[in-house]
Coordinates of all heavy atoms in Angstrom, one line a residue:
M239 N -121.9 49.8 44.0 CA -120.8 49.3 43.3 C -120.7 47.8 43.2 O -120.3 47.3 42.2 CB -119.5 49.9 43.9 CG -119.3 51.4 43.7 SD -119.2 51.9 41.9 CE -117.8 51.1 41.4
L240 N -121.1 47.2 44.3 CA -121.1 45.7 44.3 C -122.1 45.2 43.2 O -121.7 44.3 42.4 CB -121.6 45.2 45.6 CG -121.7 43.6 45.7 CD1 -120.4 42.9 45.4 CD2 -122.3 43.2 47.1
A241 N -123.3 45.7 43.1 CA -124.3 45.3 42.1 C -123.8 45.6 40.7 O -123.9 44.7 39.8 CB -125.6 45.9 42.4
T242 N -123.2 46.7 40.5 CA -122.7 47.1 39.2 C -121.6 46.1 38.8 O -121.5 45.6 37.7 CB -122.1 48.5 39.2 OG1 -123.2 49.4 39.5 CG2 -121.5 48.9 37.9
S243 N -120.7 45.8 39.7 CA -119.6 44.8 39.5 C -120.1 43.4 39.2 O -119.6 42.8 38.3 CB -118.6 44.8 40.6 OG -118.1 46.1 40.8
V244 N -121.1 43.0 39.9 CA -121.7 41.7 39.6 C -122.3 41.7 38.3 O -122.1 40.7 37.5 CB -122.7 41.3 40.7 CG1 -123.6 40.1 40.3 CG2 -122.0 41.1 42.1
G245 N -123.1 42.7 37.9 CA -123.7 42.7 36.6 C -122.7 42.7 35.5 O -122.8 42.0 34.5
F246 N -121.6 43.5 35.7 CA -120.6 43.5 34.7 C -119.9 42.2 34.5 O -119.6 41.7 33.4 CB -119.6 44.7 35.0 CG -118.4 44.7 34.0 CD1 -118.6 45.2 32.7 CD2 -117.2 44.3 34.4 CE1 -117.6 45.2 31.8 CE2 -116.1 44.3 33.5 CZ -116.3 44.8 32.2
A247 N -119.5 41.6 35.7 CA -118.8 40.3 35.7 C -119.6 39.2 34.9 O -119.1 38.4 34.3 CB -118.5 39.9 37.1
R248 N -120.9 39.3 35.0 CA -121.8 38.4 34.4 C -122.2 38.8 33.0 O -123.0 38.1 32.3 CB -123.0 38.1 35.2 CG -122.5 37.4 36.5 CD -123.6 37.1 37.4 NE -123.0 36.3 38.5 CZ -123.7 35.7 39.4 NH1 -125.0 35.8 39.4 NH2 -123.1 35.1 40.4
G249 N -121.8 40.0 32.6 CA -122.2 40.5 31.2 C -123.6 40.8 31.1 O -124.2 40.6 30.0
R250 N -124.3 41.2 32.1 CA -125.7 41.4 32.1 C -126.1 42.9 32.4 O -125.7 43.4 33.4 CB -126.5 40.5 33.1 CG -126.4 39.1 32.7 CD -127.3 38.2 33.6 NE -128.7 38.7 33.6 CZ -129.4 38.9 34.7 NH1 -128.9 38.5 35.9 NH2 -130.6 39.3 34.7
R251 N -126.8 43.5 31.5 CA -127.3 44.9 31.7 C -128.8 44.8 31.6 O -129.4 44.2 30.7 CB -126.8 45.8 30.7 CG -125.4 46.3 30.9 CD -124.9 47.2 29.8 NE -125.6 48.4 29.7 CZ -125.3 49.4 28.8 NH1 -124.4 49.2 27.9 NH2 -126.0 50.5 28.7
T252 N -129.5 45.4 32.5 CA -131.0 45.4 32.5 C -131.4 46.9 32.6 O -131.2 47.5 33.6 CB -131.6 44.6 33.6 OG1 -131.1 43.3 33.6 CG2 -133.1 44.6 33.6
P253 N -132.0 47.4 31.5 CA -132.5 48.8 31.6 C -133.5 49.0 32.7 O -134.2 48.1 33.1 CB -133.2 49.0 30.2 CG -132.6 48.0 29.4 CD -132.3 46.8 30.3
L254 N -133.4 50.2 33.3 CA -134.4 50.6 34.4 C -135.8 50.8 33.8 O -135.9 51.3 32.6 CB -133.9 51.9 35.1 CG -132.6 51.8 35.7 CD1 -132.2 53.2 36.3 CD2 -132.6 50.8 36.9
S255 N -136.8 50.5 34.5 CA -138.1 50.8 34.0 C -138.4 52.2 34.4 O -138.2 52.7 35.5 CB -139.1 49.8 34.6 OG -139.1 49.9 36.1
G256 N -139.0 52.9 33.4 CA -139.2 54.4 33.7 C -138.0 55.2 33.4 O -137.0 54.7 33.0
Q257 N -138.1 56.4 33.8 CA -137.0 57.4 33.6 C -136.3 57.8 34.9 O -135.7 58.8 35.0 CB -137.5 58.6 32.9 CG -138.0 58.4 31.5 CD -136.9 58.0 30.5 OE1 -135.7 58.3 30.8 NE2 -137.2 57.4 29.4
R258 N -136.3 56.9 35.9 CA -135.7 57.3 37.1 C -134.2 56.9 37.2 O -133.8 56.0 36.5 CB -136.4 56.7 38.3 CG -136.4 55.2 38.3 CD -137.1 54.7 39.6 NE -136.3 53.7 40.1 CZ -136.7 52.4 40.3 NH1 -137.9 52.1 40.0 NH2 -135.9 51.5 40.7
E259 N -133.5 57.7 37.9 CA -132.0 57.4 38.1 C -131.8 56.8 39.5 O -132.5 57.1 40.5 CB -131.2 58.7 38.1 CG -131.3 59.4 36.8 CD -130.5 60.7 36.8 OE1 -130.2 61.2 37.9 OE2 -130.3 61.3 35.8
I260 N -130.9 55.8 39.5 CA -130.6 55.2 40.9 C -129.3 55.7 41.4 O -129.0 55.6 42.6 CB -130.7 53.6 40.8 CG1 -129.7 53.1 39.8 CG2 -132.1 53.2 40.5 CD1 -129.5 51.6 39.9
F261 N -128.5 56.3 40.5 CA -127.2 56.8 41.0 C -127.2 58.3 40.7 O -127.7 58.8 39.8 CB -126.1 56.2 40.2 CG -125.8 54.7 40.5 CD1 -125.4 53.9 39.5 CD2 -126.0 54.2 41.7 CE1 -125.2 52.6 39.7 CE2 -125.8 52.9 42.0 CZ -125.3 52.0 40.9
R262 N -126.4 59.0 41.6 CA -126.1 60.4 41.4 C -124.6 60.5 41.4 O -123.9 59.9 42.3 CB -126.7 61.3 42.5 CG -128.2 61.1 42.6 CD -128.9 62.3 42.1 NE -130.3 62.3 42.3 CZ -131.2 62.0 41.4 NH1 -130.9 61.8 40.2 NH2 -132.5 62.0 41.7
W263 N -124.0 61.2 40.5 CA -122.6 61.3 40.4 C -121.8 61.7 41.7 O -120.8 61.1 42.0 CB -122.2 62.3 39.3 CG -120.8 62.1 38.8 CD1 -119.8 63.0 39.0 CD2 -120.3 61.1 38.0 NE1 -118.7 62.5 38.4 CE2 -119.0 61.3 37.8 CE3 -120.9 59.9 37.4 CZ2 -118.2 60.5 37.0 CZ3 -120.1 59.1 36.7 CH2 -118.8 59.4 36.5
P264 N -122.3 62.6 42.5 CA -121.6 63.0 43.8 C -121.5 61.9 44.8 O -120.6 62.0 45.7 CB -122.4 64.1 44.3 CG -123.2 64.7 43.2 CD -123.5 63.5 42.3
V265 N -122.2 60.8 44.7 CA -122.1 59.8 45.7 C -120.9 58.9 45.5 O -120.5 58.1 46.4 CB -123.4 58.9 45.8 CG1 -124.6 59.7 46.1 CG2 -123.5 58.0 44.6
F266 N -120.3 59.0 44.3 CA -119.1 58.1 44.0 C -117.8 58.7 44.5 O -117.6 59.9 44.4 CB -119.0 57.9 42.5 CG -120.2 57.1 42.0 CD1 -121.1 57.7 41.1 CD2 -120.4 55.8 42.4 CE1 -122.2 57.0 40.6 CE2 -121.5 55.1 41.9 CZ -122.4 55.7 41.0
S267 N -116.9 57.9 45.0 CA -115.6 58.3 45.4 C -114.8 58.5 44.1 O -114.7 57.7 43.2 CB -114.9 57.2 46.2 OG -113.5 57.4 46.2
S268 N -114.2 59.7 44.0 CA -113.4 60.0 42.8 C -112.1 59.2 42.7 O -111.5 59.0 41.7 CB -113.0 61.5 42.8 OG -112.2 61.8 43.9
Q269 N -111.7 58.6 43.8 CA -110.4 57.8 43.8 C -110.7 56.3 43.7 O -109.8 55.6 43.3 CB -109.7 58.1 45.1 CG -109.3 59.6 45.2 CD -108.0 59.8 45.8 OE1 -107.3 58.9 46.3 NE2 -107.6 61.0 45.9
E270 N -111.9 55.9 44.1 CA -112.2 54.4 44.1 C -113.3 54.0 43.1 O -113.1 53.2 42.2 CB -112.6 53.9 45.5 CG -111.4 54.1 46.5 CD -111.9 53.8 47.9 OE1 -113.0 53.4 48.1 OE2 -111.0 54.0 48.8
D271 N -114.4 54.7 43.2 CA -115.6 54.3 42.4 C -115.5 54.8 40.9 O -115.8 54.0 40.0 CB -116.9 54.8 43.0 CG -117.1 54.4 44.4 OD1 -116.6 53.3 44.7 OD2 -117.7 55.1 45.2
I272 N -115.2 56.0 40.7 CA -115.2 56.6 39.4 C -114.2 55.9 38.4 O -114.6 55.6 37.3 CB -115.1 58.1 39.4 CG1 -116.3 58.7 40.1 CG2 -114.9 58.7 38.0 CD1 -116.2 60.2 40.3
P273 N -113.0 55.6 38.8 CA -112.1 54.9 37.9 C -112.7 53.5 37.5 O -112.6 53.1 36.4 CB -110.8 54.7 38.7 CG -110.8 55.8 39.7 CD -112.3 56.0 40.0
V274 N -113.4 52.8 38.4 CA -114.0 51.5 38.1 C -115.1 51.7 37.1 O -115.2 51.0 36.1 CB -114.5 50.8 39.4 CG1 -115.3 49.6 39.0 CG2 -113.3 50.4 40.3
L275 N -116.0 52.7 37.4 CA -117.1 53.0 36.4 C -116.6 53.4 35.1 O -117.1 52.9 34.0 CB -118.0 54.1 37.0 CG -118.7 53.8 38.3 CD1 -119.5 55.0 38.7 CD2 -119.6 52.6 38.1
R276 N -115.5 54.1 35.0 CA -114.9 54.5 33.7 C -114.4 53.3 33.0 O -114.5 53.1 31.8 CB -113.9 55.6 33.9 CG -114.4 56.9 34.3 CD -113.4 57.9 34.5 NE -114.0 59.3 34.6 CZ -113.4 60.3 35.2 NH1 -112.2 60.1 35.7 NH2 -114.0 61.4 35.4
A277 N -113.7 52.4 33.7 CA -113.1 51.2 33.1 C -114.3 50.3 32.6 O -114.1 49.7 31.5 CB -112.3 50.4 34.2
I278 N -115.3 50.2 33.3 CA -116.5 49.4 32.9 C -117.1 50.0 31.6 O -117.4 49.3 30.7 CB -117.5 49.2 34.0 CG1 -117.0 48.3 35.1 CG2 -118.9 48.8 33.4 CD1 -117.9 48.3 36.3
A279 N -117.2 51.3 31.6 CA -117.8 52.0 30.4 C -116.9 51.8 29.2 O -117.4 51.5 28.1 CB -118.0 53.4 30.7
I280 N -115.6 51.9 29.4 CA -114.7 51.7 28.2 C -114.8 50.2 27.8 O -114.8 50.0 26.5 CB -113.2 52.1 28.6 CG1 -113.1 53.6 28.8 CG2 -112.3 51.6 27.5 CD1 -111.8 54.0 29.4
A281 N -114.8 49.3 28.7 CA -114.9 47.9 28.3 C -116.2 47.6 27.6 O -116.3 46.8 26.6 CB -114.8 47.0 29.6
E282 N -117.3 48.3 28.0 CA -118.6 48.1 27.4 C -118.7 48.7 26.0 O -119.2 48.0 25.1 CB -119.7 48.7 28.3 CG -121.1 48.7 27.7 CD -121.7 47.4 27.6 OE1 -121.2 46.4 28.3 OE2 -122.7 47.2 26.8
T283 N -118.1 49.9 25.8 CA -118.3 50.6 24.5 C -117.1 50.4 23.6 O -117.2 50.7 22.4 CB -118.5 52.1 24.8 OG1 -117.3 52.6 25.4 CG2 -119.7 52.3 25.6
E284 N -115.9 50.0 24.2 CA -114.7 49.9 23.4 C -114.3 51.3 22.8 O -113.8 51.3 21.7 CB -114.7 48.8 22.4 CG -114.9 47.5 23.0 CD -115.0 46.3 21.9 OE1 -115.0 46.6 20.7 OE2 -115.0 45.2 22.4
D285 N -114.6 52.3 23.6 CA -114.4 53.7 23.1 C -114.1 54.6 24.3 O -115.0 54.8 25.1 CB -115.7 54.2 22.3 CG -115.5 55.5 21.7 OD1 -114.4 56.1 21.8 OD2 -116.5 56.0 21.1
T286 N -113.0 55.2 24.2 CA -112.6 56.1 25.3 C -113.3 57.4 25.3 O -113.4 58.1 26.3 CB -111.1 56.4 25.3 OG1 -110.7 57.0 24.1 CG2 -110.3 55.2 25.6
S287 N -114.0 57.8 24.2 CA -114.8 59.0 24.2 C -116.0 59.0 25.2 O -116.5 60.0 25.5 CB -115.2 59.3 22.8 OG -116.2 58.4 22.4
I288 N -116.3 57.8 25.7 CA -117.4 57.6 26.6 C -117.1 58.4 27.9 O -118.0 58.8 28.7 CB -117.7 56.1 27.0 CG1 -118.9 56.0 27.8 CG2 -116.5 55.5 27.7 CD1 -120.2 56.2 27.1
L289 N -115.8 58.6 28.2 CA -115.4 59.2 29.4 C -115.9 60.7 29.6 O -116.0 61.2 30.7 CB -113.8 59.2 29.5 CG -113.2 57.8 29.6 CD1 -111.7 57.9 29.6 CD2 -113.7 57.0 30.7
V290 N -116.2 61.3 28.5 CA -116.7 62.7 28.6 C -118.2 62.8 28.8 O -118.8 63.8 29.0 CB -116.3 63.6 27.5 CG1 -114.7 63.7 27.4 CG2 -116.8 63.0 26.1
N291 N -118.9 61.6 28.7 CA -120.4 61.6 28.7 C -120.8 61.0 30.1 O -121.0 59.8 30.2 CB -120.9 60.8 27.6 CG -122.4 60.9 27.5 OD1 -123.1 61.2 28.4 ND2 -122.9 60.7 26.3
Q292 N -120.9 61.9 31.1 CA -121.3 61.5 32.4 C -122.6 60.7 32.5 O -122.8 59.8 33.2 CB -121.3 62.7 33.3 CG -121.0 62.4 34.7 CD -120.8 63.7 35.5 OE1 -121.8 64.4 35.7 NE2 -119.6 63.9 36.1
D293 N -123.6 61.2 31.7 CA -124.9 60.6 31.7 C -124.9 59.2 31.2 O -125.5 58.2 31.7 CB -125.9 61.4 30.8 CG -126.3 62.7 31.5 OD1 -126.2 62.8 32.7 OD2 -126.7 63.6 30.7
Q294 N -124.1 58.9 30.1 CA -123.9 57.6 29.6 C -123.2 56.7 30.5 O -123.5 55.5 30.7 CB -123.3 57.6 28.2 CG -123.3 56.3 27.5 CD -124.7 55.8 27.2 OE1 -125.6 56.6 27.0 NE2 -124.9 54.5 27.2
L295 N -122.2 57.2 31.2 CA -121.5 56.4 32.2 C -122.4 56.0 33.3 O -122.4 54.8 33.7 CB -120.3 57.3 32.9 CG -119.1 57.5 32.1 CD1 -118.2 58.6 32.7 CD2 -118.3 56.2 32.0
L296 N -123.3 56.9 33.8 CA -124.2 56.5 34.8 C -125.3 55.5 34.3 O -125.6 54.6 35.0 CB -124.9 57.7 35.3 CG -124.1 58.6 36.2 CD1 -125.0 59.8 36.7 CD2 -123.6 57.9 37.5
T297 N -125.7 55.6 33.1 CA -126.6 54.7 32.5 C -126.1 53.3 32.4 O -126.7 52.3 32.8 CB -127.1 55.1 31.1 OG1 -127.8 56.4 31.2 CG2 -128.0 54.1 30.4
I298 N -124.8 53.2 32.0 CA -124.2 51.9 31.9 C -124.1 51.3 33.3 O -124.4 50.1 33.6 CB -122.8 52.0 31.3 CG1 -122.9 52.3 29.8 CG2 -122.0 50.7 31.5 CD1 -121.7 52.7 29.1
A299 N -123.6 52.1 34.3 CA -123.5 51.6 35.7 C -124.8 51.2 36.3 O -125.0 50.2 36.9 CB -122.9 52.7 36.6
E300 N -125.9 52.0 36.0 CA -127.2 51.7 36.5 C -127.8 50.4 36.0 O -128.4 49.6 36.7 CB -128.2 52.8 36.2 CG -127.9 54.1 37.1 CD -128.7 55.3 36.6 OE1 -129.2 55.3 35.5 OE2 -128.8 56.2 37.4
E301 N -127.5 50.2 34.7 CA -128.1 49.0 34.0 C -127.3 47.7 34.5 O -127.9 46.7 34.7 CB -128.0 49.1 32.5 CG -129.1 50.1 32.0 CD -129.1 50.3 30.5 OE1 -128.3 49.7 29.8 OE2 -129.9 51.1 30.1
Y302 N -126.0 47.8 34.7 CA -125.3 46.7 35.2 C -125.7 46.4 36.7 O -125.9 45.3 37.1 CB -123.8 46.9 35.2 CG -123.2 46.5 33.9 CD1 -122.4 47.4 33.1 CD2 -123.3 45.2 33.3 CE1 -121.8 47.0 31.9 CE2 -122.8 44.8 32.1 CZ -122.0 45.7 31.5 OH -121.4 45.4 30.3
A303 N -125.9 47.5 37.4 CA -126.4 47.4 38.8 C -127.7 46.8 38.9 O -128.0 45.9 39.8 CB -126.3 48.7 39.5
N304 N -128.6 47.2 38.0 CA -130.0 46.6 38.0 C -129.9 45.1 37.8 O -130.6 44.3 38.5 CB -130.8 47.3 36.9 CG -132.3 47.1 37.1 OD1 -132.8 47.0 38.2 ND2 -133.0 47.2 36.0
A305 N -129.1 44.6 36.9 CA -129.0 43.2 36.7 C -128.3 42.5 37.9 O -128.7 41.5 38.3 CB -128.2 42.9 35.4
G306 N -127.3 43.2 38.4 CA -126.5 42.7 39.5 C -127.3 42.5 40.8 O -127.2 41.5 41.5
I307 N -128.2 43.5 41.0 CA -129.1 43.4 42.2 C -130.0 42.2 42.1 O -130.2 41.5 43.1 CB -129.9 44.7 42.3 CG1 -129.1 45.9 42.8 CG2 -131.1 44.5 43.2 CD1 -129.7 47.2 42.6
E308 N -130.5 41.9 40.9 CA -131.4 40.8 40.7 C -130.6 39.5 41.0 O -131.1 38.6 41.6 CB -132.0 40.8 39.3 CG -132.9 39.6 39.0 CD -134.1 39.6 39.9 OE1 -134.5 40.6 40.5 OE2 -134.6 38.4 40.1
D309 N -129.3 39.4 40.5 CA -128.5 38.2 40.7 C -128.3 38.0 42.2 O -128.3 36.9 42.8 CB -127.2 38.3 40.0 CG -127.3 38.0 38.5 OD1 -128.4 37.6 38.1 OD2 -126.4 38.3 37.8
I310 N -127.9 39.1 42.9 CA -127.6 39.1 44.3 C -128.9 38.6 45.1 O -128.8 37.8 46.0 CB -127.1 40.4 44.8 CG1 -125.7 40.7 44.2 CG2 -127.1 40.4 46.4 CD1 -125.2 42.1 44.4
R311 N -130.0 39.2 44.7 CA -131.3 38.8 45.4 C -131.6 37.4 45.2 O -131.9 36.7 46.2 CB -132.4 39.7 44.8 CG -133.8 39.4 45.6 CD -134.9 40.1 44.9 NE -135.2 39.6 43.5 CZ -135.7 38.5 43.2 NH1 -136.1 37.7 44.2 NH2 -135.9 38.1 42.0
Q312 N -131.5 36.9 44.0 CA -131.8 35.5 43.7 C -130.8 34.5 44.5 O -131.2 33.5 45.0 CB -131.7 35.2 42.2 CG -132.9 35.7 41.5 CD -132.7 35.5 40.0 OE1 -131.7 35.1 39.5 NE2 -133.8 35.7 39.2
Q313 N -129.5 34.8 44.4 CA -128.5 33.9 45.0 C -128.3 34.1 46.5 O -127.8 33.2 47.1 CB -127.2 34.1 44.3 CG -127.3 33.8 42.8 CD -127.6 32.3 42.6 OE1 -127.1 31.4 43.3 NE2 -128.4 32.0 41.6
V314 N -128.7 35.2 47.0 CA -128.4 35.5 48.5 C -129.7 35.6 49.3 O -129.9 34.8 50.2 CB -127.6 36.8 48.7 CG1 -127.4 37.1 50.1 CG2 -126.2 36.6 47.9
A315 N -130.6 36.5 48.9 CA -131.8 36.7 49.7 C -132.8 35.6 49.6 O -133.5 35.3 50.6 CB -132.5 38.0 49.3
E316 N -132.8 34.8 48.5 CA -133.7 33.8 48.4 C -133.1 32.4 48.8 O -133.8 31.4 48.6 CB -134.3 33.7 47.0 CG -135.1 34.9 46.6 CD -135.7 34.9 45.2 OE1 -135.4 34.0 44.5 OE2 -136.4 35.9 44.9
T317 N -131.9 32.4 49.2 CA -131.2 31.1 49.7 C -131.5 31.0 51.1 O -131.2 31.9 51.9 CB -129.7 31.2 49.4 OG1 -129.5 31.4 48.0 CG2 -129.0 29.9 49.8
P318 N -132.0 29.8 51.6 CA -132.2 29.6 53.0 C -130.8 29.7 53.7 O -129.8 29.3 53.2 CB -132.7 28.1 53.0 CG -133.2 27.8 51.7 CD -132.4 28.7 50.7
G319 N -130.9 30.1 54.9 CA -129.7 30.2 55.8 C -129.4 31.7 56.2 O -130.3 32.6 56.1
I320 N -128.2 31.8 56.7 CA -127.8 33.2 57.1 C -127.4 34.0 55.9 O -126.5 33.6 55.1 CB -126.6 33.0 58.1 CG1 -127.1 32.2 59.3 CG2 -126.1 34.3 58.6 CD1 -126.0 31.7 60.3
L321 N -128.0 35.2 55.8 CA -127.7 36.1 54.7 C -126.2 36.4 54.5 O -125.8 36.4 53.3 CB -128.5 37.3 54.8 CG -130.0 37.2 54.6 CD1 -130.7 38.5 54.8 CD2 -130.4 36.6 53.2
L322 N -125.6 36.7 55.5 CA -124.1 37.1 55.4 C -123.3 35.9 54.9 O -122.5 36.1 54.0 CB -123.6 37.6 56.7 CG -122.1 38.0 56.7 CD1 -121.9 39.1 55.7 CD2 -121.7 38.4 58.1
E323 N -123.6 34.7 55.3 CA -122.9 33.5 54.8 C -123.2 33.3 53.4 O -122.3 33.0 52.6 CB -123.2 32.3 55.7 CG -122.6 32.3 57.0 CD -123.0 31.1 57.8 OE1 -123.7 30.1 57.3 OE2 -122.7 31.0 59.0
S324 N -124.5 33.5 53.0 CA -124.9 33.3 51.6 C -124.2 34.4 50.7 O -123.7 34.0 49.6 CB -126.4 33.5 51.5 OG -127.0 32.4 52.1
L325 N -124.1 35.6 51.2 CA -123.4 36.6 50.4 C -121.9 36.3 50.3 O -121.4 36.4 49.1 CB -123.6 38.0 51.1 CG -122.9 39.2 50.4 CD1 -123.4 39.4 49.0 CD2 -123.0 40.4 51.3
V326 N -121.3 35.9 51.3 CA -119.8 35.6 51.2 C -119.6 34.4 50.3 O -118.7 34.5 49.4 CB -119.3 35.2 52.6 CG1 -117.9 34.6 52.5 CG2 -119.3 36.5 53.5
H327 N -120.5 33.4 50.3 CA -120.4 32.2 49.4 C -120.6 32.7 48.0 O -119.8 32.3 47.1 CB -121.4 31.2 49.8 CG -121.4 30.0 48.9 ND1 -120.3 29.1 48.8 CD2 -122.2 29.6 47.9 CE1 -120.5 28.2 47.9 NE2 -121.7 28.5 47.3
F328 N -121.6 33.5 47.8 CA -121.9 34.1 46.4 C -120.7 34.8 45.9 O -120.3 34.6 44.7 CB -123.1 35.0 46.5 CG -123.4 35.8 45.3 CD1 -124.0 35.2 44.2 CD2 -123.1 37.1 45.2 CE1 -124.2 35.9 43.0 CE2 -123.3 37.9 44.1 CZ -123.9 37.3 43.0
L329 N -120.0 35.7 46.7 CA -118.9 36.5 46.2 C -117.7 35.6 46.0 O -117.0 35.8 45.0 CB -118.6 37.6 47.2 CG -119.7 38.6 47.3 CD1 -119.3 39.6 48.5 CD2 -119.9 39.4 46.0
L330 N -117.4 34.6 46.8 CA -116.3 33.8 46.7 C -116.4 32.8 45.5 O -115.5 32.4 44.9 CB -116.0 33.0 48.0 CG -115.5 33.9 49.1 CD1 -115.3 33.0 50.4 CD2 -114.2 34.6 48.8
A331 N -117.7 32.4 45.3 CA -117.9 31.4 44.2 C -117.8 32.0 42.8 O -117.6 31.4 41.8 CB -119.3 30.7 44.4
G332 N -118.1 33.3 42.8 CA -118.0 34.1 41.5 C -119.1 33.6 40.5 O -118.8 33.6 39.3
R333 N -120.2 33.2 41.0 CA -121.2 32.6 40.2 C -121.7 33.6 39.2 O -122.0 34.7 39.3 CB -122.4 32.2 41.0 CG -122.1 31.0 41.9 CD -123.4 30.5 42.5 NE -123.1 30.0 43.8 CZ -124.1 29.7 44.6 NH1 -125.3 29.8 44.3 NH2 -123.8 29.1 45.8

């Protein structure tokens, strides 16, 4: 969810290479995660009919997460210092 949120906040989606899935619907909390994923999908498509297409919801989330993971890796894992401090700085700075 963090990587998906980062990708969405930065407006970056990166398609997955190959046909593999990184998310499975049952891992998401119906009270916390799914409403966020639905809101992101509506914002992305500007169409509420996306809510009935679970596969498309997951694709949007996966592509935002794929881009978000890359941003987190570049800004946190590749920054010298303590990883936790780098992550906190990254999240607070909203880069």
Side-chain angles (χ1 to χ4, degrees):
M239 286 303 296
L240 175 62
T242 299
S243 298
V244 168
F246 177 73
R248 294 186 173 182
R250 292 189 51 226
R251 283 176 65 179
T252 304
L254 299 175
S255 58
Q257 293 292 341
R258 61 176 225 241
E259 295 176 350
I260 59 173
F261 292 145
R262 304 254 188 253
W263 199 253
V265 302
F266 295 113
S267 161
S268 63
Q269 302 215 356
E270 296 171 6
D271 301 332
I272 293 174
V274 172
L275 296 178
R276 288 179 173 157
I278 288 171
I280 291 170
E282 174 69 18
T283 64
E284 298 180 352
D285 184 2
T286 57
S287 68
I288 189 73
L289 298 177
V290 298
N291 189 334
Q292 209 172 63
D293 291 337
Q294 189 61 31
L295 284 168
L296 286 179
T297 297
I298 292 169
E300 288 170 341
E301 290 180 358
Y302 275 127
N304 198 27
I307 287 168
E308 181 61 23
D309 285 347
I310 293 168
R311 185 188 61 75
Q312 287 177 349
Q313 297 295 321
V314 176
E316 293 180 1
T317 300
I320 299 170
L321 289 177
L322 181 57
E323 287 179 7
S324 295
L325 178 61
V326 169
H327 177 71
F328 170 76
L329 294 173
L330 292 176
R333 296 190 211 171

